[in-house]
Amino acid sequence: MLETLRSIGYTLETAVADIIDNSIAAGATDVQLEIVWQGQQSTLTLSDNGRGMNAEALREAMRPGSRHPGQVRHKDDLGRFGLGLKTASFSQCRRFTVLSKPKAGEVTFRCWDLDYVNEAKAWNLLCHVSDESLVEELAAQPQGTIVFWEKMDRLVGNLQLGNQKHEVHFGQYVKMVEHHLSMVFHRYLEDGSLTIYVNGEKLSPWDPFLTAEPFTQRLLDETLLSGQVVIRPYILPHHRRLSHPDLFEEAGGMRGWGAHQGFYIYRNRRLLVAGDWLGLFRREEHCKLARIMVDLPNTLDDAWQIDIRKAQSFPPTTLQGDFKRIGTHARTRAVEVYRARGRRLKHTHSIGFTPVWQENVRLGQRHYTINRQHPLVKDLLEKSKGQSSALLHAVLRMCEETIPVPLIVLSEAEKPREQAVPYENVGDEEIMPLLQDLFRDFRAAGRCAADVRQMLLNMEPFNYFPHLIDKLSDV
């Protein structure tokens, strides 16, 4: 059974996060994580300043399945099955030791060693610690707990001490742990209720919603199940509106912007699902700015199918309609910001808005055509009536049929910051004469100045320049 528990599906970072859940449940405010590279002898030590346990409580905590999943728990409890400590540890190592000290109590320790269990053919929990310095370290604290992993076969594998490439590879594991903890516990780190150090370095929170950014949009909150479920949709700024250039890479996380879109499900402020459309929508490049916070209490674990690893969760069928509605609205707003590319637009949804390009469906397939009703295009077609009319229509049709859509999509996905917006890097002094000529032409056709300005504000791509349209005059 213990060997089977190793294959539940933990990664190093999810296993460490599960151990920290226990620290938080024990009231810890400080967690120290040391991941030491020593080749096959590499170790991981996680210590906290929580309440600690006496010998009886520690022995019970080391027993697999020490708690029924249906048992009523404290509202802030992050556990469920009574398996987290054991399954998380066994998933990464063959021997782990837990040392604990309650306030005004003594240091006690217990050890599970899979090699010993296999050899003895008995579930013998050892009263053993291989590193006596851990006992001294904990004895010097008022209270706390230390989890010590050895024989880290799943992580170390064939990595050898003295091999620089192997050491670099091991270091990448550490970086993944740092980012994961910064993300999963970011709300604890932000409010100061928890501090986490990894190899002596204090972790900073990774806020998926960029709440400190002035151009982040927070849509209206919604509550479901009589207020038990709270949903807060956010639309992140286009990268052109971020306050610092480096923030684009940082906000993309280790998996990138596309992978981090969707719902973020929290249970007692602890992140379970980091960006997923929960089978309700597909990941789309133009929806990558939509991130939706979902807060749950621990009383809904069963209904939301929260697993042992606390790495997945799905809304019950009765709520999927609400989630689809909320997700659709957030995705629509995200598309608007994405297409605007961070520029301030005017009247993009008002009656009479005139885009240059239109999307059409022909024989079940999407096609993009130049809008023949765009005032400039329409004027050009009217002026070309005669021998050149057919040629102009042919040129427009050729442009429409040869749009390199796959190349555009690929370039936008791989290098979004290199895609220009209309008239980017073109000074106002170059745009203003064009607008002034159009203004005079439309005025000459009998339209009043106010109507012409409104027409230009509704006309792509001039809706990108409302500050210039306001300056237009008949002079």
Side-chain angles (χ1 to χ4, degrees):
M1 178 181 176
L2 292 180
E3 291 287 352
T4 302
L5 290 177
R6 307 195 73 201
S7 303
I8 288 180
Y10 282 98
T11 60
L12 174 63
E13 57 270 23
T14 57
V16 172
D18 212 338
I19 302 298
I20 294 178
D21 287 342
N22 293 333
S23 298
I24 294 174
T29 58
D30 184 89
V31 170
Q32 303 278 343
L33 177 63
E34 294 288 337
I35 308 177
V36 180
W37 164 249
Q38 287 293 333
Q40 296 296 307
Q41 306 303 316
S42 297
T43 60
L44 181 147
T45 307
L46 191 149
S47 59
D48 67 46
N49 65 344
R51 287 185 292 273
M53 298 171 279
N54 59 27
E56 182 180 353
L58 175 57
R59 185 170 59 251
E60 179 65 13
M62 295 291 276
R63 182 168 64 86
S66 57
R67 178 167 55 182
H68 190 283
Q71 179 180 332
V72 176
R73 291 158 290 151
H74 188 274
K75 65 182 182 65
D76 296 326
D77 194 351
L78 297 179
R80 182 186 180 196
F81 296 94
L83 285 170
L85 170 64
K86 285 73 69 172
T87 53
S89 298
F90 284 138
S91 74
Q92 303 301 313
C93 67
R94 298 191 65 80
R95 180 166 68 194
F96 78 95
T97 306
V98 178
L99 305 89
S100 198
K101 177 188 177 183
K103 190 173 183 179
E106 300 295 326
V107 175
T108 58
F109 45 84
R110 292 293 185 273
C111 172
W112 274 118
D113 189 323
L114 291 184
D115 294 329
Y116 175 81
V117 170
N118 287 335
E119 180 181 342
K121 305 298 181 185
W123 289 52
N124 292 333
L125 183 61
L126 303 178
C127 184
H128 168 79
V129 59
S130 60
D131 187 349
E132 291 291 339
S133 68
L134 297 176
V135 179
E136 298 173 4
E137 175 185 333
L138 188 55
Q141 300 177 198
Q143 61 183 28
T145 297
I146 296 177
V147 178
F148 182 52
W149 290 353
E150 304 169 271
K151 299 182 181 180
M152 299 171 63
D153 58 330
R154 293 287 178 87
L155 178 64
V156 176
N158 296 320
L159 301 183
Q160 298 296 326
L161 186 64
N163 187 312
Q164 188 174 2
K165 289 184 178 180
H166 289 181
E167 184 175 358
V168 170
H169 188 66
F170 188 86
Q172 291 172 345
Y173 285 129
V174 178
K175 289 294 183 184
M176 291 173 64
V177 170
E178 290 175 342
H179 175 73
H180 187 74
L181 300 183
S182 295
M183 176 178 66
V184 168
F185 300 106
H186 76 92
R187 294 169 74 177
Y188 291 87
L189 299 174
E190 287 165 357
D191 66 18
S193 60
L194 180 67
T195 303
I196 301 176
Y197 292 85
V198 178
N199 291 345
E201 295 292 328
K202 183 179 178 180
L203 289 188
S204 298
W206 184 78
D207 176 12
F209 311 104
L210 298 182
T211 52
E213 285 296 294
F215 290 100
T216 293
Q217 300 178 37
R218 176 173 169 176
L219 308 186
L220 291 178
D221 292 1
E222 296 213 28
T223 58
L224 305 174
L225 296 180
S226 301
Q228 292 186 84
V229 179
V230 180
I231 303 174
R232 297 183 178 90
Y234 291 86
I235 309 302
L236 273 58
H238 190 273
H239 65 79
R240 299 175 190 278
R241 305 306 295 269
L242 294 174
S243 60
H244 192 279
D246 294 340
L247 195 55
F248 177 79
E249 297 295 338
E250 180 184 334
M254 294 194 71
R255 295 185 292 138
W257 278 81
H260 280 294
Q261 62 186 272
F263 293 99
Y264 284 68
I265 300 179
Y266 294 80
R267 172 170 161 270
N268 290 347
R269 299 188 300 139
R270 194 266 202 207
L271 183 61
L272 302 178
V273 176
D276 192 286
W277 289 116
L278 308 176
L280 302 175
F281 308 96
R282 294 186 302 172
R283 294 186 189 276
E284 304 281 358
E285 171 67 17
H286 52 270
C287 295
K288 67 183 182 182
L289 301 180
R291 297 181 181 179
I292 306 171
M293 178 189 293
V294 181
D295 270 315
L296 309 176
N298 61 14
T299 54
L300 298 178
D301 286 2
D302 188 54
W304 282 73
Q305 305 175 54
I306 295 174
D307 67 348
I308 291 175
R309 298 172 298 128
K310 287 169 278 189
Q312 69 177 25
S313 178
F314 301 98
T317 304
T318 54
L319 297 183
Q320 288 183 7
D322 289 300
F323 270 70
K324 191 151 191 175
R325 170 181 56 80
I326 294 167
T328 298
H329 179 56
R331 286 163 64 92
T332 300
R333 293 291 296 272
V335 170
E336 295 172 3
V337 175
Y338 177 85
R339 289 179 174 171
R341 301 189 184 282
R343 298 292 290 271
R344 183 167 63 96
L345 303 184
K346 285 287 187 179
H347 304 284
T348 55
H349 294 287
S350 62
I351 297 174
F353 173 66
T354 311
V356 174
W357 289 92
Q358 294 179 314
E359 181 182 83
N360 303 285
V361 177
R362 187 172 70 223
L363 299 177
Q365 294 183 312
R366 289 194 306 273
H367 293 267
Y368 299 92
T369 57
I370 296 173
N371 183 9
R372 302 302 196 272
Q373 297 305 309
H374 190 284
L376 294 185
V377 178
K378 185 177 181 180
D379 185 58
L380 180 62
L381 291 173
E382 289 177 352
K383 291 179 179 178
S384 66
K385 288 180 178 179
Q387 292 184 344
S388 59
S389 178
L391 178 60
L392 179 57
H393 277 284
V395 170
L396 293 178
R397 179 65 182 273
M398 179 184 68
C399 293
E400 294 167 342
E401 295 292 340
T402 58
I403 300 173
V405 174
L407 179 60
I408 293 172
V409 171
L410 181 62
S411 297
E412 176 65 21
E414 292 184 346
K415 301 176 181 178
R417 287 189 287 182
E418 295 182 9
Q419 182 65 43
V421 299
Y423 294 104
E424 184 164 15
N425 298 322
V426 175
D428 289 355
E429 67 278 3
E430 295 184 54
I431 302 297
M432 195 62 184
L434 174 59
L435 283 171
Q436 192 70 60
D437 289 342
L438 290 172
F439 183 79
R440 289 169 180 165
D441 286 346
F442 289 133
R443 289 284 285 123
R447 296 184 175 89
C448 70
D451 287 346
V452 174
R453 288 192 181 89
Q454 186 62 55
M455 180 185 298
L456 292 173
L457 286 170
N458 287 347
M459 188 188 303
E460 190 179 27
F462 304 116
N463 57 328
Y464 285 89
F465 304 99
H467 62 293
L468 297 183
I469 293 174
D470 290 341
K471 297 179 181 179
L472 293 172
S473 66
D474 288 319
V475 179

